[in-house]
Amino acid sequence: MDYTKLYQEKLTDPKNIAEQIQDNWICGMDIAAAIPTALANVIAEAAKENKFKHVTMHTLLDITKLDFLREGYEDNIRATSWFSGGSLRKAVNEGRADLMPGYFRDWPKLIEDKLEFDAIFLHVSPMDKHGYFSMSLAGSVSQALLNKTKRIYLQVNEKMPRALTSPLIHISNVDGLCEITEDLPIFPPSELDENSKIIGKYIADLIPDGATIQLGIGAIPEAVGYALLDKKDLGIHTELLTDAMIELIEAGVVTNMKKPIHKGKTVATLAFGSQRMYDFIDDNRAFELHTVDYVNDPAVIAQHPNFISINGALEVDFFGQVAAESLGTQHVSGTGGQSDYVRGAIMSDGGKSFIALPSTAAGGKVSRIKPTLSEGAVISTHKNDTDYIVTEYGAVQLRGKTLRERTEALISIAHPDFREELTEEAKKRNIL
């Protein structure tokens, strides 16, 4: 069947899509590069012109400029953040956006159980000959959004790669689409400072050949990736596909042949980074993009022997509680998949979980290893799950250690300027 006629019937301009939004609608977008930035900004313009009021827009991990997150739009269109980038973080902290707590893995079920959307707006690759659009760079929560919405609107972008296993949308289910060609957001590689390189080397030395890896966002996980170039037969099962992983694949370090499931395949639930990454994904049968409730499921992760999870943190206390999403009461990001990968790794036969962070913040004035977390800090990884903590002063394993032993270990990798103070605090608390 030729779907060209149906496509043309549903093709319109972004302004027309924005003008279909009505007061009090609950709307949604997916994550990162799957957010249709150009269409979203046309919707913001309609909000500015008071075309609608009291619209809620659910979204997560903004990595591009979204005008509706600016001050002054919140009466007409108010965001709910499921995981924050820079603008969502600012809007939440200023009271102009709401926050949805939860594990990334659970969000599809939360959507299915708790929400009904009047409309969703998605960024997709061009339609194929069978009438399907690919969600391209996000498995994420897209299928749940599609299942729970009354209306589907698409921004079709010829620059979006086609991921062969991402959620698909058929033209017959689409209420309106616009064609907007815009460059994909490029996430520049992190600058690898000396501390990140040192931490990366500590972790890499503890990763065996044949391991399956997950890397989080930031300089330290990226440094780990580049420190693995001398390893053999690694696999990838990860929330986020990163450029360091592309480097490992092209260098032949990642073969995915030791994985018990998805053998020979790189598995992720979202991707954003360089154009090199987007070119890698396009029509690549060696890459699988699945929904987050599968990819981040600890039971799925644990099926991989020697699974290695590497994530960052803002601070860690003597118990091994990890704060990775707030600085005290100040919102920073969200739980994401950290807890699930920590649990999956420690359930894996031979698996290890690493939480890595520089030893200090604020230009060396503040220790990130603390007797207690900052007041109001959100705990991202529970003390009972924390495995390895790594700073530029070493890597220590907390699992199987008492509170006293944990405290001694953590002080040993704190910055030397703070070790005496931390020791005195531990004595005051009758830990040492």
Side-chain angles (χ1 to χ4, degrees):
M1 181 174 177
D2 186 357
Y3 291 99
T4 305
K5 182 180 179 182
L6 186 56
Y7 182 98
Q8 291 299 323
E9 288 174 358
K10 298 188 177 188
L11 179 63
T12 185
D13 62 69
K15 187 174 181 181
N16 180 266
I17 292 175
E19 289 178 349
Q20 294 182 44
I21 299 173
Q22 298 178 25
D23 293 353
N24 302 308
W25 270 17
I26 306 297
C27 301
M29 300 178 181
D30 205 325
I31 189 169
I35 296 172
T37 301
L39 176 57
N41 288 339
V42 174
I43 292 171
E45 185 64 25
K48 186 177 181 182
E49 295 171 358
N50 295 311
K51 295 292 179 66
F52 50 78
K53 291 184 177 181
H54 309 304
V55 166
T56 300
M57 184 68 76
H58 292 261
T59 191
L60 52 156
L61 189 56
D62 52 309
I63 60 171
T64 55
K65 179 184 176 184
L66 298 173
D67 289 342
F68 68 84
L69 296 176
R70 292 162 56 187
E71 188 173 357
Y73 286 73
E74 57 270 17
D75 287 341
N76 291 348
I77 182 167
R78 183 179 177 87
T80 294
S81 172
W82 294 62
F83 189 100
S84 299
S87 296
L88 274 170
R89 177 185 308 132
K90 187 172 189 292
V92 169
N93 284 321
E94 292 178 358
R96 295 184 288 104
D98 203 354
L99 183 65
M100 181 71 78
Y103 299 114
F104 193 8
R105 167 194 33 108
D106 285 344
W107 293 344
K109 190 171 190 306
L110 285 173
I111 290 170
E112 296 272 8
D113 290 350
K114 305 294 184 182
L115 293 173
E116 289 283 349
F117 291 94
D118 293 290
I120 60 171
F121 306 92
L122 303 174
H123 195 191
V124 298
S125 65
M127 186 178 76
D128 67 15
K129 65 182 180 181
H130 303 292
Y132 287 99
F133 303 88
S134 164
M135 269 306 297
S136 187
L137 297 174
S140 186
V141 300
S142 295
Q143 192 59 58
L145 292 174
L146 290 165
N147 293 345
K148 291 305 297 289
T149 188
K150 298 172 184 174
R151 302 166 187 87
I152 300 169
Y153 297 101
L154 306 181
Q155 177 185 323
V156 181
N157 185 354
E158 65 182 10
K159 294 190 176 183
M160 285 286 270
R162 186 169 187 80
L164 298 178
T165 56
S166 67
L168 299 175
I169 306 148
H170 196 266
I171 183 63
S172 61
N173 296 318
V174 173
D175 293 271
L177 60 92
C178 59
E179 296 176 341
I180 305 177
T181 298
E182 61 178 334
D183 290 336
L184 300 180
I186 300 299
F187 189 70
S190 303
E191 287 193 24
L192 302 186
D193 59 279
E194 195 58 34
N195 282 349
S196 295
K197 293 177 182 177
I198 292 169
I199 293 170
K201 182 68 166 58
Y202 281 135
I203 296 173
D205 286 346
L206 293 169
I207 298 176
D209 291 340
T212 298
I213 61 171
Q214 172 260 329
L215 302 177
I217 299 175
I220 292 173
E222 197 164 318
V224 174
Y226 290 111
L228 294 172
L229 285 168
D230 62 346
K231 301 293 182 179
K232 297 177 182 178
D233 284 325
L234 297 183
I236 293 173
H237 181 103
T238 188
E239 176 179 300
L240 172 67
L241 186 71
T242 69
D243 276 287
M245 294 176 180
I246 304 300
E247 185 80 25
L248 293 172
I249 293 167
E250 294 189 342
V253 175
V254 167
T255 65
N256 290 303
M257 295 309 294
K258 300 292 185 181
K259 295 166 64 176
I261 56 176
H262 305 285
K263 189 180 291 290
K265 311 284 188 178
T266 292
V267 173
T269 197
L270 75 143
F272 67 91
S274 67
Q275 188 61 48
R276 177 189 186 193
M277 174 190 292
Y278 303 144
D279 291 342
F280 167 82
I281 292 169
D282 190 42
D283 278 329
N284 187 347
R285 295 190 180 280
F287 174 72
E288 294 190 358
L289 191 76
H290 295 287
T291 56
V292 70
D293 48 346
Y294 174 77
V295 176
N296 284 20
D297 185 341
V300 174
I301 295 164
Q303 291 180 48
H304 301 80
N306 297 310
F307 192 92
I308 305 296
S309 168
I310 302 149
N311 290 286
L314 298 171
E315 56 185 31
V316 179
D317 72 8
F318 287 162
F319 273 95
Q321 297 182 117
V322 176
E325 56 195 279
S326 76
L327 287 167
T329 59
Q330 287 294 299
H331 170 67
V332 175
S333 56
T335 305
Q338 181 178 121
S339 299
D340 290 325
Y341 278 95
V342 168
R343 288 181 182 139
I346 61 178
M347 289 163 58
S348 159
D349 184 14
K352 299 169 186 170
S353 163
F354 297 93
I355 300 293
L357 69 168
S359 64
T360 62
K365 296 178 182 179
V366 176
S367 175
R368 291 180 183 265
I369 292 175
K370 298 186 170 187
T372 60
L373 298 179
S374 299
E375 184 178 358
V378 175
I379 297 172
S380 306
T381 295
H382 194 274
K383 69 185 190 309
N384 299 346
D385 296 322
T386 306
D387 193 13
Y388 284 86
I389 301 293
V390 191
T391 74
E392 70 271 28
Y393 292 101
V396 294
Q397 188 174 30
L398 301 190
R399 278 180 65 78
K401 287 184 168 62
T402 65
L403 174 58
R404 178 188 182 93
E405 291 168 335
R406 287 176 176 226
T407 301
E408 290 174 337
L410 287 166
I411 291 173
S412 76
I413 60 168
H415 193 284
D417 290 351
F418 293 95
R419 291 178 190 172
E420 183 176 347
E421 176 185 333
L422 290 169
T423 300
E424 288 304 311
E425 286 296 322
K427 288 178 179 178
K428 288 179 184 178
R429 289 166 168 76
N430 295 320
I431 298 172
L432 297 181

